[in-house]
Every structure is written in C-alpha cells, then in structure tokens.
Amino acid sequence: MKEVRVRFAPSPTGALHIGGVRTALYNYLLARQQNGKMILRIEDTDQNRFVPGAEDYIIQSLAWAGIKMDEGVMEGGPYAPYRQSERKGIYRQYAQQLLDSGHAYYAFDTEEELESLRERQKAAGSDQQQYSAATRLQMSNSLTLGAVEVKKRLDAGMPYVIRFKIPENQEVHLVDLIRGDVIVSTTQLDDKVLMKSDGMPTYHLANVVDDFLMKISHVIRGEEWLPSAPLHVLLYRAFGWEMNMPQFAHLPLLLKPDGNGKLSKRDADRMGFPIFPLTWKDPKTGEVSKGFRESGYLPEALINFLVLLGWNPGTEQEVFSMEELIDSFSLERISKSGAKFDIHKAQWFNEQYLRAKTDQELAAYLLDGLQQGGISCSTDKAVQISSIMKERIRFPQELWEHGQYFFIAPSAYDEQVISKKWNADAVRVLTAFRDAVQKAESFDASVAKNLLEQVTTSLQIGAGKIMQALRVSVTGVGGGPDLMMIMEIIGKEEVVSRITYALEHIHANVRQS
Ligand code: GLU
C-alpha cells in the first residue's frame, strides 16, 4: 500500500486561525495512525500577502499544540526545500511543460483589457465574467497572437502570465473522502493563472506540483478549497500524473456559535474568546489578539475540543489523549456539515484537564504567575493552594486571580456579605475566635475548626450564621474553598491580624451607616 504522506500547507499571511490548527491536527492524526509522514509546507508565493513573523508564529503554534512534523521547513527532509518561495525554478519548469504540451499559454493582457472583457461580459448578461474557453480567443495571448509576435513580446520583456487552458466541455469527477462524488463541468471553470507576472507561481500550480513531487497521498484541507479541487484534478491530468493523484478530503467549516456562517475573528472578538492559538501582534496595525495559550487553555484541552468539531468517535467518549486520538481517528467519521464553535465546551475540556493535573503541576503555574506579579511563595504553600483550588478553576491563572487573598490581606470587603451577615453576633464570635486563635499553641485547619466550634457553642450562636462574616474578614470575598484550609494556609499570625483589622474597619463602617 502507498505510504501515507500528508501535509499542512499554510500561507504565512497572518496568524494561524484556529481552524487551521484543526486541519493540521486531522492531518497529523492520520499520519501517526498510519505510520506515515506529516509535512509542513509553507506556501508563501503570494508576495503581496506575505506577513513577516507569520511563518514563525505558525511553527510555534503547532509545536505548542503538540502537532509534530516529520518533514518541513525546520526539519528538512528528502523533498526539501519546503518553503515554496525557494522552489521557484521548479514551478517554472513545470509551467514550461504545460506550455510545451499545449495545456497552458502565455497571456499578455493588460489590466485595462481584462477590465474591458469583464464589462463586455456583464453587458451581454453573462453571469460568468471570466477568461475561459468562450473568451480566450478574443484576448492577447499566445493562442491568438502567433508565434512570431509572442516571441517578440517575450524577448522584449513584456509582462505576461501563464494561464491554464481549461479543456472544453468535459466533466471533472473527483471522489472526496468526506463529501463523496463531486462532478463539475469544465464550462464552470476559468483559465486560471498558473504563473504570475512576477515570476511566482499561483497557489494552484505550486500546490499541485508540490503535492505530486512530495508524494502526498491525502490532501486534507478546509472546505474553502473544494471549488479549486476540479482545477487541481485537471492539472494532474494535464501533467499526466492522474495515477498518482492524492485523495481529497475537504473538512467542514467551523461555524460561529450563534447563528449561521463561518466563524470569524470578528465573532471571536465580539464574544470575547480567542481565535488564534498564541497571542499575535499584527505587524501592520499593531493590534494584539490574545491567544488560547495566553488565555489559559492547555494545549491538550484545545486539541480535544478541536478534534470533536467535525469528527466524532462513534462512542460516548469525550476526553481523549493525543495517543487515544491517534488510535481512534478516521476520515470516515468526519461529518459533512459545519461544526458550531462553542467556547464553553473548550472551557469544560480545560477544566477536565486541569483537574487531571497533580497539585505539583498546578503549583508550577501558580508560582509562575506569582513570580510575574513579584510575589514570593514557597512551593509547599503553592501545592496546598493548588490542591484546594483545583476543583474551582477553569484556567490556571484563576489560581492566582481567585486566590489573591492567600497572599494579600483584603483591603476591601464584599459589600453584600457585610450588609447581610455583619452583625453584633458576628462581631462577638469573631472577637472570641480571634482571641482563641492567638492563644493557640499550634494552628491548622482542624484546630481552627475546633476553636470555632468551642466559641460558637459557648456564645450559643450557630456557626452557620457567622461563617460568611468570618470568611469575608479573612478573604474579603464571599466564596471560595474550605475556609479552615484557607486559614491554615494563611497561618495563625495573619489570621489574627486580618480578623483584628476587619473588626476595626468593618465595625466602623457599621457604626457610621
Ligand atoms: N496555502 C493554502 C492555505 O493557505 C493551502 C490549501 C491546501 O491545503 O491545499 O490554506
């Protein structure tokens, strides 16, 4: 059987969209499962759309996501170079082959001539404004000008493009592994440019030539490329490569969470979630878009979320490691219809993966965040905090954001809790509890619990009534993990000092009001 060789072939025209990560992932899973090869090819022949930094960004994003390459711009490989701008000579040679065999022709038309073609077609009521079998003989090209004139123009260095001569009245038939049979009449197709006047190939030529030369077995890419597939089939035919044509699989779109239509950056911005794997600063506008990584998504959670947008395992299983995905993945289970991008599901996966981490692993995130905020913390304390916060967070940074009180005494208190729960009983219990803690020889969660029990029993005030007041005096907020554990972590001195401060300040507030 033919070796499975797949490629991810992005154009470095900006940040990698999250849909691109999914495309790369599906390619990767098939390659790994079939003991094949995964290739990263950079399609950078459109000089107008080239964006500096984009290639690096793509490489880093894939590495972060855990999608590893066997061959590519970084790894090299038997079919190097893998950057199309370094393969110009190759495309020129293959364009020549098509010129020689009569499948392509030189076209010298100026912008004005092309515009006037479109105008004429519009005036004639044609719904297709294109350079095609119906119009090519009215234009300035090597089919109409005669060999002498063509040579003269070429020798004089006049600008030209090379166009593909779409065969007339044929049916192009291709089998898409996801969509099934696709049949298109060549009357629907135009004579696409293969080589541009700057000497660069267009996407179509470079893509087909490279897929052939790199022995690609499966072309797995976004649905937006489906309309190009018939042209690609015709190119394979024209080159005489039909026997070696890859199989095609066009992936369903990622849809916006609300309504219909393709998920766009605008939707993501509007709804406040990332659309790029890593933070990206647009070099032209300076606009910074926060990435999934910087928003606190774990790569394994993002992968798990993405794989299920368009593919299903046929079972109830939802959480998959990369290894499990490699085992279970199949192109047959990719659906034709678009998948809604539900960011809540991504958050749910993130929670699952965070909970599966050890306290030590989470502590590393916490220590990292604290360090950036210039706060020191022992590893033991970070591990303890992680252990009690684990079930309550969706993102690693919430360890720090929701647990600031572990490090900083509150300077403000939750108003609602104060107005409902701060009363004379609370003040009596807190005062007595603070004094008891101060006298205690040792202090931990169970000591705190016992002392509180003793105090509430002797004052005959239900612990439930004053718990919120105690919490707010220690943490400033009304919710959080087990308060006794919080007090153990904060430590005796700090607990005493915080309750004392709260008794002075909150009491003053009560009196004033
Ligand atoms: N360079 C194309 C892109 O940016 C690749 C499409 C394909 O995989 O054929 O998506």
Side-chain angles (χ1 to χ4, degrees):
M1 224 181 72
K2 201 170 159 185
E3 187 191 18
V4 168
R5 291 180 54 81
V6 291
R7 84 301 192 272
F8 180 53
S11 299
T13 54
L16 180 62
H17 188 283
I18 199 67
V21 181
R22 186 195 59 171
T23 302
L25 174 63
Y26 287 179
N27 275 285
Y28 174 75
L29 293 176
L30 185 73
R32 282 288 167 279
Q33 182 183 72
Q34 302 293 322
N35 287 320
K37 292 283 186 294
M38 170 75 181
I39 295 148
L40 178 67
R41 186 172 73 220
I42 297 291
E43 301 206 327
D44 59 347
T45 58
D46 191 346
Q47 289 172 329
N48 296 325
R49 296 186 61 216
F50 178 81
V51 172
E55 180 184 310
D56 251 12
Y57 177 91
I58 291 167
I59 291 170
Q60 284 174 27
S61 297
L62 296 171
W64 175 71
I67 299 171
K68 298 183 201 78
M69 300 298 149
D70 299 302
E71 297 169 25
V73 283
M74 299 298 283
E75 298 72 14
Y79 303 95
Y82 292 91
R83 195 178 286 114
Q84 288 188 328
S85 56
E86 293 167 20
R87 301 170 63 82
K88 263 168 83 175
I90 299 176
Y91 310 122
R92 176 68 234 192
Q93 175 196 331
Y94 283 99
Q96 191 61 48
Q97 181 181 327
L98 293 181
L99 286 168
D100 294 344
S101 62
H103 289 100
Y105 58 92
Y106 293 105
F108 300 95
D109 314 273
T110 60
E111 247 331 294
E112 292 73 39
E113 285 172 314
L114 292 170
E115 184 50 36
S116 115
L117 167 67
R118 284 189 286 266
E119 291 299 321
R120 268 179 290 154
Q121 288 174 318
K122 227 191 246 166
S126 159
D127 57 347
Q128 289 170 19
Q129 275 103 49
Q130 54 190 25
Y131 206 121
S132 65
T135 55
R136 61 171 83 106
L137 293 180
Q138 308 158 19
M139 306 300 288
S140 307
N141 55 45
S142 55
L143 304 172
T144 58
L145 292 172
V148 178
E149 175 64 18
V150 169
K151 185 169 184 320
K152 208 172 97 194
R153 291 188 179 204
L154 292 177
D155 289 346
M158 276 180 76
Y160 66 85
V161 298
I162 297 174
R163 284 184 184 269
F164 187 52
K165 192 174 163 197
I166 293 280
E168 274 174 78
N169 292 324
Q170 283 190 16
E171 280 206 330
V172 189
H173 179 198
L174 70 110
V175 184
D176 184 276
L177 294 174
I178 297 167
R179 267 138 229 288
D181 288 329
V182 177
I183 299 169
V184 177
S185 157
T186 55
T187 50
Q188 303 292 316
L189 305 176
D190 61 335
D191 287 359
K192 278 270 178 311
V193 173
L194 300 178
M195 290 290 280
K196 295 175 281 187
S197 50
D198 63 3
M200 279 289 203
T202 56
Y203 155 71
H204 303 291
L205 178 68
N207 188 270
V208 165
V209 165
D210 284 348
D211 283 347
F212 171 74
L213 293 178
M214 295 179 180
K215 298 200 164 55
I216 298 302
S217 63
H218 297 74
V219 166
I220 305 170
R221 62 184 170 195
E223 187 180 271
E224 64 273 29
W225 300 106
L226 185 61
S228 301
L231 167 69
H232 296 178
V233 172
L234 290 172
L235 279 166
Y236 281 100
R237 264 189 218 162
F239 280 120
W241 298 337
E242 225 179 334
M243 295 305 289
N244 295 306
M245 195 163 74
Q247 290 187 276
F248 291 101
H250 288 91
L251 304 176
L253 289 178
L254 294 186
L255 303 175
K256 54 179 87 209
D258 52 349
N260 289 320
K262 194 176 162 186
L263 173 73
S264 69
K265 179 168 181 309
R266 199 136 41 95
D267 299 315
D269 289 348
R270 174 172 57 87
M271 300 179 77
F273 59 80
I275 190 129
F276 301 142
L278 314 180
T279 290
W280 167 252
K281 182 168 181 199
D282 189 311
K284 275 201 211 97
T285 62
E287 186 198 355
V288 176
S289 310
K290 201 167 174 188
F292 275 91
R293 180 178 67 184
E294 291 75 9
S295 303
Y297 288 88
L298 304 177
E300 46 288 31
L302 183 64
I303 289 295
N304 203 149
F305 165 64
L306 282 180
V307 79
L308 295 172
L309 293 177
W311 173 81
N312 76 81
T315 65
E316 293 296 303
Q317 186 176 351
E318 283 198 287
V319 177
F320 288 88
S321 67
M322 193 68 108
E323 289 310 311
E324 287 173 313
L325 287 176
I326 290 169
D327 275 352
S328 342
F329 184 72
S330 68
L331 289 172
E332 291 73 42
R333 301 206 72 92
I334 296 178
S335 75
K336 285 196 194 57
S337 48
K340 268 199 198 309
F341 193 89
D342 177 6
I343 196 69
H344 299 111
K345 195 73 199 185
Q347 290 167 0
W348 181 83
F349 277 114
N350 218 47
E351 265 172 50
Q352 309 308 309
Y353 280 91
L354 278 174
R355 281 175 200 175
K357 294 230 176 265
T358 63
D359 297 342
Q360 282 73 10
E361 284 169 324
L362 289 182
Y365 288 113
L366 176 58
L367 289 169
D368 197 40
L370 289 173
Q371 202 182 17
Q372 284 174 32
I375 293 174
S376 61
C377 171
S378 71
T379 305
D380 282 353
K381 184 170 171 180
V383 170
Q384 262 187 314
I385 295 172
S386 302
S387 131
I388 62 168
M389 294 291 280
K390 198 178 204 165
E391 302 288 324
R392 317 181 70 87
I393 54 166
R394 291 169 309 158
F395 299 107
Q397 68 270 23
E398 288 177 350
L399 283 171
W400 153 240
E401 288 168 5
H402 295 181
Q404 294 213 18
Y405 48 74
F406 286 110
F407 310 96
I408 304 167
S411 52
Y413 302 95
D414 183 319
E415 291 291 340
Q416 268 196 335
V417 180
I418 301 293
S419 68
K420 283 203 198 110
K421 303 285 181 183
W422 196 269
N423 50 37
D425 280 352
V427 170
R428 283 169 64 207
V429 173
L430 262 64
T431 308
F433 177 68
R434 187 260 330 261
D435 295 345
V437 171
Q438 199 153 29
K439 282 188 213 121
E441 275 170 21
S442 65
F443 184 70
D444 62 15
S446 72
V447 172
K449 191 162 178 271
N450 287 338
L451 293 178
L452 188 64
E453 258 167 30
Q454 284 167 24
V455 168
T456 49
T457 312
S458 75
L459 293 174
Q460 292 188 322
I461 297 169
K465 280 193 176 162
I466 56 81
M467 209 49 141
Q468 281 279 83
L470 178 57
R471 182 181 285 280
V472 87
S473 70
V474 174
T475 67
V477 292
D482 181 59
L483 181 58
M484 305 305 141
M485 275 309 297
I486 295 178
M487 290 197 284
E488 172 176 327
I489 294 169
I490 289 175
K492 176 177 155 176
E493 303 304 322
E494 185 67 14
V495 168
V496 169
S497 123
R498 288 188 188 187
I499 298 176
T500 305
Y501 185 89
L503 284 167
E504 282 163 11
H505 290 79
I506 302 178
H507 199 61
N509 279 347
V510 170
R511 256 203 318 245
Q512 268 163 27
S513 59

